[in-house]
Amino acid sequence: MLLEIVQYGHPVLRQKCRSIEHVDDGIRDLAKNMLETMYAADGVGLAAPQVNIPIQLICIDIPEDEDSVSLLKVDGEDRKLSDIMPLIFINPSLEPYGEMESCQEGCLSVRKIRASVARPKKVRATVTLLDGKTVTIDCDGLLARCFQHECDHLNGVLFVERVSSAQRLTLKSKLKRLFG
Ligand code: NI
């Protein structure tokens, strides 16, 4: 089932999301619908607050031919993207590390806007999968960026707040024009 993706200005996008204690059928159904919604919108990541549910649930699917990802380890073992995608998880904790890198980002909740955002190149993400298993993922490239972008959503932060001060003014007027 396709869900409605809320847009910039909606208060749920500003909320701090609560962690999930039990994965039940409701959570599994929601995750399935979020994935379907993300694919239909041509996205690579979607966080639950973007479908108006402020809980710590995220889905990510990075295509296996994404060549920006050169580091990918799960619990210390080398893995390929196709081994772990689509990746659906709850209650993430992130440790970004490495040098900063600027890259264009977009967001399904901030349609028609792209902007360059500087973030650390790598992350160590500890996440719980829907089967209850907790894994540690070390990665770089688009996957590291996606982890950081999606986890920001769980803290009520959007990528447009992470742009450089030089871009901020132009972006502000664009956001006003598009979202009122
Ligand atoms: Ni987003």
Side-chain angles (χ1 to χ4, degrees):
M1 187 178 90
L2 290 184
L3 306 170
E4 190 191 336
I5 300 177
V6 300
Q7 292 299 302
Y8 185 85
H10 193 294
V12 74
L13 295 174
R14 296 290 171 209
Q15 277 189 47
K16 236 179 145 32
C17 297
R18 62 178 186 276
S19 58
I20 295 169
E21 279 169 42
H22 303 287
V23 173
D24 55 17
D25 285 346
I27 298 287
R28 277 185 284 268
D29 270 356
L30 173 61
K32 188 172 152 268
N33 291 333
M34 279 172 58
L35 202 59
E36 200 182 320
T37 302
M38 182 183 85
Y39 291 142
D42 246 338
V44 292
L46 189 68
Q50 295 183 270
V51 294
N52 203 8
I53 304 174
I55 57 173
Q56 294 187 20
L57 171 65
I58 287 172
C59 53
I60 290 177
D61 196 349
I62 307 278
E64 59 183 315
D65 59 359
E66 175 60 41
D67 56 15
S68 66
V69 180
S70 57
L71 165 71
L72 180 54
K73 284 181 193 283
V74 178
D75 290 334
E77 308 256 329
D78 286 324
R79 289 279 180 261
K80 291 187 302 221
L81 279 169
S82 56
D83 295 335
I84 63 163
M85 295 297 160
L87 185 61
I88 300 169
F89 56 91
I90 62 170
N91 308 341
S93 85
L94 280 199
E95 294 165 58
Y97 64 99
E99 53 190 276
M100 300 293 278
E101 185 176 55
S102 287
C103 217
Q104 291 279 313
E105 291 188 23
C107 178
L108 296 178
S109 294
V110 195
R111 288 208 187 270
K112 295 187 185 156
I113 289 192
R114 294 186 68 77
S116 175
V117 182
R119 299 185 190 268
K121 228 172 164 166
K122 300 177 186 181
V123 297
R124 166 165 287 191
T126 304
V127 304
T128 300
L129 308 176
L130 293 194
D131 63 7
K133 216 169 113 191
T134 297
V135 295
T136 298
I137 300 173
D138 280 284
C139 61
D140 64 358
L142 181 61
L143 181 54
R145 183 161 290 271
C146 197
F147 266 123
Q148 293 177 77
H149 176 117
E150 298 311 326
C151 291
D152 269 355
H153 275 300
L154 304 185
N155 292 312
V157 175
L158 298 171
F159 80 103
V160 289
E161 278 120 50
R162 293 216 181 261
V163 301
S164 66
S165 49
Q167 291 180 91
R168 204 158 289 154
L169 217 57
T170 342
L171 203 53
K172 222 174 160 185
S173 63
K174 245 192 208 169
L175 284 167
K176 205 167 171 207
R177 185 158 40 82
L178 286 167
F179 300 99

Short mmCIF file of all heavy atoms in Angstrom, two decimals, residues 130-177:
data_model
loop_
_atom_site.label_atom_id
_atom_site.label_comp_id
_atom_site.label_asym_id
_atom_site.label_seq_id
_atom_site.Cartn_x
_atom_site.Cartn_y
_atom_site.Cartn_z
N LEU A 130 14.61 -6.18 11.60
CA LEU A 130 13.25 -6.53 12.04
C LEU A 130 13.17 -7.92 12.67
O LEU A 130 12.22 -8.24 13.38
CB LEU A 130 12.25 -6.40 10.88
CG LEU A 130 12.02 -4.97 10.37
CD1 LEU A 130 10.79 -4.91 9.49
CD2 LEU A 130 11.91 -3.95 11.50
N ASP A 131 14.20 -8.76 12.43
CA ASP A 131 14.20 -10.09 13.07
C ASP A 131 14.79 -10.03 14.49
O ASP A 131 14.97 -11.05 15.14
CB ASP A 131 14.95 -11.12 12.22
CG ASP A 131 16.43 -10.76 12.04
OD1 ASP A 131 16.91 -9.79 12.69
OD2 ASP A 131 17.11 -11.45 11.26
N GLY A 132 15.10 -8.83 14.94
CA GLY A 132 15.59 -8.67 16.31
C GLY A 132 17.10 -8.66 16.43
O GLY A 132 17.65 -8.37 17.49
N LYS A 133 17.79 -9.01 15.32
CA LYS A 133 19.25 -9.05 15.34
C LYS A 133 19.83 -7.64 15.27
O LYS A 133 19.39 -6.83 14.45
CB LYS A 133 19.71 -9.84 14.11
CG LYS A 133 20.93 -10.70 14.35
CD LYS A 133 21.14 -11.65 13.18
CE LYS A 133 22.42 -11.26 12.47
NZ LYS A 133 22.62 -11.92 11.18
N THR A 134 20.81 -7.34 16.12
CA THR A 134 21.49 -6.04 16.05
C THR A 134 22.83 -6.22 15.36
O THR A 134 23.59 -7.13 15.70
CB THR A 134 21.67 -5.46 17.46
OG1 THR A 134 20.37 -5.22 18.01
CG2 THR A 134 22.41 -4.12 17.42
N VAL A 135 23.09 -5.39 14.34
CA VAL A 135 24.34 -5.50 13.59
C VAL A 135 25.04 -4.15 13.54
O VAL A 135 24.41 -3.10 13.69
CB VAL A 135 24.11 -6.00 12.13
CG1 VAL A 135 23.58 -7.42 12.11
CG2 VAL A 135 23.19 -5.08 11.35
N THR A 136 26.36 -4.21 13.32
CA THR A 136 27.15 -3.00 13.16
C THR A 136 27.63 -2.93 11.72
O THR A 136 28.24 -3.88 11.22
CB THR A 136 28.34 -3.01 14.14
OG1 THR A 136 27.80 -3.03 15.46
CG2 THR A 136 29.18 -1.75 13.99
N ILE A 137 27.32 -1.83 11.07
CA ILE A 137 27.67 -1.67 9.66
C ILE A 137 28.66 -0.51 9.53
O ILE A 137 28.40 0.59 9.99
CB ILE A 137 26.41 -1.37 8.82
CG1 ILE A 137 25.41 -2.53 8.95
CG2 ILE A 137 26.77 -1.12 7.35
CD1 ILE A 137 24.07 -2.27 8.29
N ASP A 138 29.81 -0.80 8.93
CA ASP A 138 30.79 0.25 8.61
C ASP A 138 30.69 0.50 7.12
O ASP A 138 30.75 -0.45 6.32
CB ASP A 138 32.22 -0.22 8.92
CG ASP A 138 32.52 -0.07 10.40
OD1 ASP A 138 32.76 1.07 10.85
OD2 ASP A 138 32.50 -1.11 11.10
N CYS A 139 30.56 1.76 6.71
CA CYS A 139 30.43 2.00 5.27
C CYS A 139 30.84 3.42 4.92
O CYS A 139 31.08 4.26 5.79
CB CYS A 139 28.99 1.74 4.82
SG CYS A 139 27.81 2.81 5.62
N ASP A 140 30.91 3.67 3.62
CA ASP A 140 31.23 5.01 3.12
C ASP A 140 30.31 5.32 1.94
O ASP A 140 29.32 4.60 1.71
CB ASP A 140 32.73 5.11 2.76
CG ASP A 140 33.11 4.19 1.61
OD1 ASP A 140 32.25 3.44 1.10
OD2 ASP A 140 34.29 4.23 1.19
N GLY A 141 30.64 6.36 1.21
CA GLY A 141 29.90 6.69 0.00
C GLY A 141 28.44 7.00 0.24
O GLY A 141 28.05 7.49 1.31
N LEU A 142 27.62 6.69 -0.75
CA LEU A 142 26.20 7.02 -0.69
C LEU A 142 25.50 6.37 0.51
O LEU A 142 24.58 6.95 1.10
CB LEU A 142 25.51 6.62 -2.00
CG LEU A 142 24.01 6.94 -2.10
CD1 LEU A 142 23.73 8.43 -1.99
CD2 LEU A 142 23.42 6.39 -3.40
N LEU A 143 25.94 5.17 0.88
CA LEU A 143 25.28 4.51 2.01
C LEU A 143 25.55 5.26 3.32
O LEU A 143 24.64 5.46 4.13
CB LEU A 143 25.74 3.04 2.11
CG LEU A 143 25.10 2.23 3.25
CD1 LEU A 143 23.57 2.28 3.20
CD2 LEU A 143 25.58 0.78 3.20
N ALA A 144 26.78 5.72 3.50
CA ALA A 144 27.12 6.48 4.72
C ALA A 144 26.32 7.78 4.75
O ALA A 144 25.82 8.22 5.80
CB ALA A 144 28.61 6.78 4.75
N ARG A 145 26.18 8.40 3.61
CA ARG A 145 25.43 9.65 3.50
C ARG A 145 23.95 9.41 3.80
O ARG A 145 23.29 10.16 4.51
CB ARG A 145 25.61 10.21 2.08
CG ARG A 145 24.94 11.54 1.84
CD ARG A 145 25.53 12.23 0.64
NE ARG A 145 26.88 12.68 0.91
CZ ARG A 145 27.19 13.87 1.43
NH1 ARG A 145 26.25 14.76 1.71
NH2 ARG A 145 28.44 14.20 1.66
N CYS A 146 23.44 8.33 3.24
CA CYS A 146 22.04 8.00 3.41
C CYS A 146 21.73 7.70 4.89
O CYS A 146 20.73 8.17 5.42
CB CYS A 146 21.75 6.79 2.53
SG CYS A 146 20.04 6.52 2.23
N PHE A 147 22.60 6.94 5.56
CA PHE A 147 22.43 6.70 6.99
C PHE A 147 22.31 8.02 7.75
O PHE A 147 21.44 8.20 8.60
CB PHE A 147 23.64 5.94 7.56
CG PHE A 147 23.49 4.44 7.59
CD1 PHE A 147 24.40 3.61 6.94
CD2 PHE A 147 22.44 3.85 8.29
CE1 PHE A 147 24.27 2.23 6.98
CE2 PHE A 147 22.30 2.46 8.34
CZ PHE A 147 23.22 1.65 7.68
N GLN A 148 23.20 8.96 7.43
CA GLN A 148 23.21 10.22 8.16
C GLN A 148 21.97 11.05 7.85
O GLN A 148 21.35 11.62 8.75
CB GLN A 148 24.49 11.01 7.82
CG GLN A 148 25.74 10.30 8.35
CD GLN A 148 27.02 11.02 7.96
OE1 GLN A 148 27.37 12.02 8.56
NE2 GLN A 148 27.73 10.50 6.97
N HIS A 149 21.58 11.09 6.58
CA HIS A 149 20.39 11.85 6.18
C HIS A 149 19.14 11.27 6.85
O HIS A 149 18.32 12.00 7.42
CB HIS A 149 20.29 11.81 4.65
CG HIS A 149 19.07 12.47 4.09
ND1 HIS A 149 19.12 13.57 3.27
CD2 HIS A 149 17.74 12.19 4.23
CE1 HIS A 149 17.89 13.93 2.94
NE2 HIS A 149 17.04 13.11 3.50
N GLU A 150 19.00 9.94 6.79
CA GLU A 150 17.78 9.31 7.34
C GLU A 150 17.75 9.41 8.87
O GLU A 150 16.69 9.64 9.45
CB GLU A 150 17.67 7.85 6.90
CG GLU A 150 17.55 7.63 5.38
CD GLU A 150 16.50 8.50 4.71
OE1 GLU A 150 15.46 8.79 5.33
OE2 GLU A 150 16.75 8.90 3.56
N CYS A 151 18.89 9.23 9.51
CA CYS A 151 18.91 9.32 10.99
C CYS A 151 18.65 10.75 11.44
O CYS A 151 18.05 10.96 12.50
CB CYS A 151 20.21 8.75 11.56
SG CYS A 151 20.28 6.96 11.35
N ASP A 152 19.05 11.73 10.65
CA ASP A 152 18.67 13.12 10.94
C ASP A 152 17.15 13.25 11.03
O ASP A 152 16.63 13.96 11.89
CB ASP A 152 19.16 14.06 9.82
CG ASP A 152 20.56 14.63 10.10
OD1 ASP A 152 21.11 14.39 11.19
OD2 ASP A 152 21.09 15.33 9.22
N HIS A 153 16.43 12.57 10.13
CA HIS A 153 14.96 12.64 10.14
C HIS A 153 14.41 12.21 11.51
O HIS A 153 13.41 12.76 11.98
CB HIS A 153 14.36 11.73 9.08
CG HIS A 153 14.27 12.34 7.71
ND1 HIS A 153 13.56 13.49 7.44
CD2 HIS A 153 14.80 11.96 6.52
CE1 HIS A 153 13.66 13.79 6.15
NE2 HIS A 153 14.41 12.88 5.56
N LEU A 154 15.06 11.22 12.14
CA LEU A 154 14.57 10.73 13.43
C LEU A 154 14.76 11.75 14.54
O LEU A 154 14.15 11.67 15.60
CB LEU A 154 15.25 9.41 13.82
CG LEU A 154 15.14 8.27 12.80
CD1 LEU A 154 15.76 7.00 13.37
CD2 LEU A 154 13.68 8.02 12.39
N ASN A 155 15.63 12.72 14.27
CA ASN A 155 15.86 13.80 15.24
C ASN A 155 15.20 15.11 14.82
O ASN A 155 15.51 16.17 15.36
CB ASN A 155 17.36 14.02 15.43
CG ASN A 155 18.01 12.84 16.13
OD1 ASN A 155 17.51 12.38 17.14
ND2 ASN A 155 19.08 12.33 15.57
N GLY A 156 14.34 15.04 13.82
CA GLY A 156 13.64 16.24 13.38
C GLY A 156 14.49 17.21 12.58
O GLY A 156 14.19 18.40 12.52
N VAL A 157 15.57 16.69 11.97
CA VAL A 157 16.48 17.55 11.21
C VAL A 157 16.38 17.22 9.72
O VAL A 157 16.37 16.05 9.33
CB VAL A 157 17.94 17.37 11.69
CG1 VAL A 157 18.91 18.16 10.83
CG2 VAL A 157 18.07 17.77 13.15
N LEU A 158 16.29 18.27 8.89
CA LEU A 158 16.22 18.08 7.43
C LEU A 158 17.54 18.54 6.80
O LEU A 158 18.22 19.41 7.34
CB LEU A 158 15.07 18.89 6.86
CG LEU A 158 13.68 18.50 7.37
CD1 LEU A 158 12.63 19.49 6.90
CD2 LEU A 158 13.31 17.09 6.92
N PHE A 159 17.84 17.98 5.63
CA PHE A 159 19.14 18.29 5.00
C PHE A 159 19.28 19.77 4.67
O PHE A 159 20.39 20.31 4.65
CB PHE A 159 19.37 17.43 3.75
CG PHE A 159 18.68 17.90 2.51
CD1 PHE A 159 19.37 18.57 1.52
CD2 PHE A 159 17.32 17.69 2.32
CE1 PHE A 159 18.74 19.02 0.37
CE2 PHE A 159 16.67 18.14 1.18
CZ PHE A 159 17.38 18.81 0.21
N VAL A 160 18.15 20.46 4.44
CA VAL A 160 18.23 21.88 4.10
C VAL A 160 18.77 22.73 5.26
O VAL A 160 19.16 23.87 5.06
CB VAL A 160 16.86 22.44 3.62
CG1 VAL A 160 16.53 21.90 2.25
CG2 VAL A 160 15.75 22.11 4.61
N GLU A 161 18.77 22.15 6.48
CA GLU A 161 19.36 22.86 7.61
C GLU A 161 20.86 22.61 7.72
O GLU A 161 21.52 23.17 8.57
CB GLU A 161 18.73 22.41 8.92
CG GLU A 161 17.42 23.09 9.19
CD GLU A 161 16.30 22.11 9.32
OE1 GLU A 161 16.43 21.14 10.07
OE2 GLU A 161 15.29 22.29 8.61
N ARG A 162 21.37 21.73 6.89
CA ARG A 162 22.78 21.38 6.99
C ARG A 162 23.61 21.98 5.86
O ARG A 162 24.77 21.64 5.69
CB ARG A 162 22.94 19.85 6.97
CG ARG A 162 22.36 19.18 8.20
CD ARG A 162 23.21 18.01 8.60
NE ARG A 162 22.71 17.29 9.75
CZ ARG A 162 23.18 17.46 10.98
NH1 ARG A 162 24.13 18.34 11.22
NH2 ARG A 162 22.70 16.75 11.97
N VAL A 163 23.01 22.88 5.08
CA VAL A 163 23.76 23.48 3.98
C VAL A 163 24.68 24.58 4.51
O VAL A 163 24.50 25.07 5.62
CB VAL A 163 22.82 24.06 2.89
CG1 VAL A 163 21.93 22.96 2.33
CG2 VAL A 163 22.01 25.21 3.44
N SER A 164 25.64 24.96 3.68
CA SER A 164 26.57 26.02 4.07
C SER A 164 25.83 27.36 4.16
O SER A 164 24.79 27.54 3.52
CB SER A 164 27.68 26.13 3.03
OG SER A 164 27.12 26.55 1.81
N SER A 165 26.38 28.30 4.91
CA SER A 165 25.70 29.59 5.06
C SER A 165 25.59 30.31 3.71
O SER A 165 24.66 31.07 3.47
CB SER A 165 26.42 30.45 6.09
OG SER A 165 27.78 30.48 5.83
N ALA A 166 26.54 30.03 2.80
CA ALA A 166 26.49 30.66 1.48
C ALA A 166 25.25 30.24 0.69
O ALA A 166 24.72 31.00 -0.09
CB ALA A 166 27.76 30.31 0.70
N GLN A 167 24.79 29.00 0.91
CA GLN A 167 23.63 28.51 0.16
C GLN A 167 22.31 28.85 0.84
O GLN A 167 21.24 28.74 0.25
CB GLN A 167 23.66 26.98 0.07
CG GLN A 167 24.73 26.35 -0.78
CD GLN A 167 24.58 24.84 -0.72
OE1 GLN A 167 23.89 24.25 -1.55
NE2 GLN A 167 25.19 24.20 0.25
N ARG A 168 22.41 29.20 2.13
CA ARG A 168 21.21 29.25 2.96
C ARG A 168 20.16 30.24 2.46
O ARG A 168 18.97 29.94 2.44
CB ARG A 168 21.61 29.56 4.41
CG ARG A 168 20.57 29.08 5.40
CD ARG A 168 21.15 28.89 6.78
NE ARG A 168 22.04 27.74 6.84
CZ ARG A 168 23.05 27.61 7.71
NH1 ARG A 168 23.29 28.57 8.57
NH2 ARG A 168 23.79 26.53 7.72
N LEU A 169 20.62 31.42 2.03
CA LEU A 169 19.69 32.47 1.63
C LEU A 169 18.87 32.09 0.39
O LEU A 169 17.65 32.23 0.38
CB LEU A 169 20.47 33.77 1.38
CG LEU A 169 19.76 35.03 1.82
CD1 LEU A 169 19.38 34.97 3.30
CD2 LEU A 169 20.63 36.26 1.55
N THR A 170 19.58 31.59 -0.63
CA THR A 170 18.90 31.17 -1.86
C THR A 170 17.91 30.06 -1.54
O THR A 170 16.78 30.03 -2.06
CB THR A 170 19.91 30.57 -2.86
OG1 THR A 170 21.22 30.99 -2.51
CG2 THR A 170 19.56 30.90 -4.27
N LEU A 171 18.35 29.14 -0.69
CA LEU A 171 17.52 27.99 -0.36
C LEU A 171 16.26 28.44 0.37
O LEU A 171 15.17 27.94 0.11
CB LEU A 171 18.35 27.06 0.53
CG LEU A 171 17.92 25.60 0.54
CD1 LEU A 171 17.84 25.04 -0.86
CD2 LEU A 171 18.90 24.78 1.36
N LYS A 172 16.41 29.39 1.25
CA LYS A 172 15.30 29.90 2.04
C LYS A 172 14.19 30.46 1.14
O LYS A 172 13.02 30.16 1.34
CB LYS A 172 15.79 30.99 2.99
CG LYS A 172 15.20 30.89 4.37
CD LYS A 172 15.83 31.91 5.30
CE LYS A 172 14.92 32.14 6.49
NZ LYS A 172 15.42 33.20 7.36
N SER A 173 14.59 31.22 0.13
CA SER A 173 13.56 31.81 -0.73
C SER A 173 12.92 30.74 -1.62
O SER A 173 11.73 30.77 -1.90
CB SER A 173 14.12 32.97 -1.55
OG SER A 173 15.12 32.53 -2.40
N LYS A 174 13.74 29.75 -2.01
CA LYS A 174 13.20 28.64 -2.79
C LYS A 174 12.16 27.85 -1.99
O LYS A 174 11.08 27.51 -2.48
CB LYS A 174 14.34 27.67 -3.15
CG LYS A 174 14.64 27.57 -4.62
CD LYS A 174 15.56 26.40 -4.84
CE LYS A 174 16.43 26.58 -6.05
NZ LYS A 174 17.51 25.57 -6.11
N LEU A 175 12.50 27.58 -0.72
CA LEU A 175 11.60 26.81 0.16
C LEU A 175 10.30 27.57 0.36
O LEU A 175 9.22 26.99 0.36
CB LEU A 175 12.26 26.58 1.52
CG LEU A 175 13.35 25.50 1.55
CD1 LEU A 175 14.16 25.58 2.84
CD2 LEU A 175 12.75 24.10 1.41
N LYS A 176 10.42 28.88 0.51
CA LYS A 176 9.24 29.71 0.73
C LYS A 176 8.31 29.65 -0.48
O LYS A 176 7.11 29.53 -0.36
CB LYS A 176 9.69 31.14 1.02
CG LYS A 176 8.65 31.88 1.83
CD LYS A 176 9.15 33.17 2.41
CE LYS A 176 7.95 33.90 3.00
NZ LYS A 176 8.11 35.32 3.04
N ARG A 177 8.95 29.74 -1.66
CA ARG A 177 8.17 29.72 -2.89
C ARG A 177 7.47 28.37 -3.08
O ARG A 177 6.31 28.31 -3.45
CB ARG A 177 9.14 30.00 -4.06
CG ARG A 177 8.49 30.13 -5.40
CD ARG A 177 9.36 30.92 -6.39
NE ARG A 177 10.78 30.61 -6.30
CZ ARG A 177 11.36 29.56 -6.87
NH1 ARG A 177 10.65 28.71 -7.57
NH2 ARG A 177 12.66 29.36 -6.75
#
